[in-house]
Each structure stands twice: as structure tokens, then as C-alpha cells.
Amino acid sequence: GKRRQEMIKILHRLQWFLALAFLQVLVLNKIHIAGYATPFLYIYFILKYNSRVSRNTLMLWAFGLGLTVDMFGDTPGMNAAAATFLAFARGRTLRLATLRDMDEGFRPGIRSMGFSSFFRYTLFACILFCTFLLLIDTFSFFNVPVLCLKIGASTVATMLCVVCTEWMGRKKG
């Protein structure tokens, strides 16, 4: 009964984990729109996790996902750090976007939050993640306009991927 449901949930989560990690490494990491924008769809995994889950659990999953992307993407620890940071900040980001109490526990998405709240949540999360990741990647403020352009372009590319993925899932389910 309940134990079986938990196992199915974990297996489903692992499928998403692996699918998003490999999509990121094999396809999305090779996309550099105009030399500036790279979509980071794998953060969808972190964004969609149930709101009631403990921060530590989410941070462990995020670290594992980021580390997987790093191992196959030749980015030593950068994605692990940025994904863990996003998981750490997700609760506040979610509260800021929804202005509601997280005690009730829900799975963030268009269906549970409405489009505008989900859009705000995704926007805040993408800005945080892309800023953190690209600051680590650049490790310099030598060319601030280019850094800002990369952060902005990657945020937009990631937002588009996340919102489209969510919209497709909403239509399907």
C-alpha cells in the first residue's frame, strides 16, 4: 500500500532526475544562443519538488543533480553549488512568489499556483540560479556588461524551457 506508493514516487523522481540531467548534458549545455544564453532546464526538478519537503532533503537531491551535470559536463562543482544554492533559497522564493503559507504542502506548478504566481516563482528562481552559476563560472567582474547579458539571456532561455515544460505537462495531465 503506502510503502509501494513511496517506492513508485522515488522511482518516478529518479526518472525525472536522470532524464533532466542527461538532457542538460547531452543537448542543452551545447546550446549557446548568440554566444550568451544557455538554458538550464534541469532546475525544473528542484522547482517542482513538493513544497512541504525539508530543505535538507531538497538540497541533497539538488546537490546530486548538479553533481551529475558537473560530472558529465566538465564543470567542476559549479552546477552542484548553484543547484544546492537554489534548493536552499527555494522556500523563500516560493513564499515570495505565492504569498502563501507552505504548511499546506503542494507541488509547485501552473495548476496549483496559477500562471502568474508560477511565472514569478520561476523568474525569481532562474535569476538566482543563473546569477550564482555564471558568477562562479566567470569568477570575475572584469566585464560586467557581458556577465549581465549572459545572466539575463540564460535566465530568459531557462524560463522559456521551464514554462514550456510545465505547460506541456499541464496539457498532458
Side-chain angles (χ1 to χ4, degrees):
K2 190 171 171 94
R3 190 176 176 106
R4 180 178 149 85
Q5 281 180 324
E6 280 300 311
M7 285 302 295
I8 290 172
K9 244 191 234 180
I10 290 171
L11 286 173
H12 187 254
R13 215 170 269 140
L14 276 171
Q15 282 178 318
W16 265 104
F17 180 101
L18 292 171
L20 287 170
F22 287 116
L23 178 64
Q24 186 66 47
V25 171
L26 298 174
V27 179
L28 299 175
N29 280 355
K30 295 178 180 25
I31 296 173
H32 303 289
I33 303 162
Y36 297 103
T38 301
F40 298 103
L41 179 60
Y42 78 92
I43 68 168
Y44 185 67
F45 181 89
I46 300 163
L47 298 177
K48 288 294 288 181
Y49 222 101
N50 189 305
S51 67
R52 196 182 293 161
V53 72
S54 78
R55 180 187 283 173
N56 291 344
T57 299
L58 184 60
M59 286 173 64
L60 277 171
W61 276 100
F63 177 77
L65 181 58
L67 194 60
T68 303
V69 171
D70 284 332
M71 285 187 334
F72 295 102
D74 198 28
T75 48
M78 295 181 339
N79 286 285
T84 304
F85 172 73
L86 177 60
F88 177 79
R90 192 193 76 146
R92 285 199 178 102
T93 306
L94 201 48
R95 273 191 293 285
L96 188 64
T98 61
L99 304 172
R100 75 194 245 191
D101 190 23
M102 297 301 115
D103 289 343
E104 59 202 74
F106 66 97
R107 191 164 179 246
I110 292 174
R111 194 177 277 157
S112 62
M113 299 168 71
F115 183 79
S116 64
S117 287
F118 183 74
F119 186 86
R120 272 193 314 272
Y121 165 57
T122 305
L123 178 64
F124 296 154
C126 288
I127 290 170
L128 280 175
F129 177 82
C130 290
T131 301
F132 193 92
L133 180 69
L134 293 168
L135 275 174
I136 293 171
D137 184 35
T138 306
F139 210 67
S140 153
F141 289 103
F142 181 70
N143 199 343
V144 175
V146 171
L147 177 62
C148 290
L149 186 58
K150 283 183 175 185
I151 290 168
S154 292
T155 295
V156 169
T158 302
M159 286 275 311
L160 280 170
C161 286
V162 167
V163 171
C164 287
T165 302
E166 176 66 13
W167 197 258
M168 287 188 309
R170 182 176 177 262
K171 295 286 187 205
K172 187 187 80 183

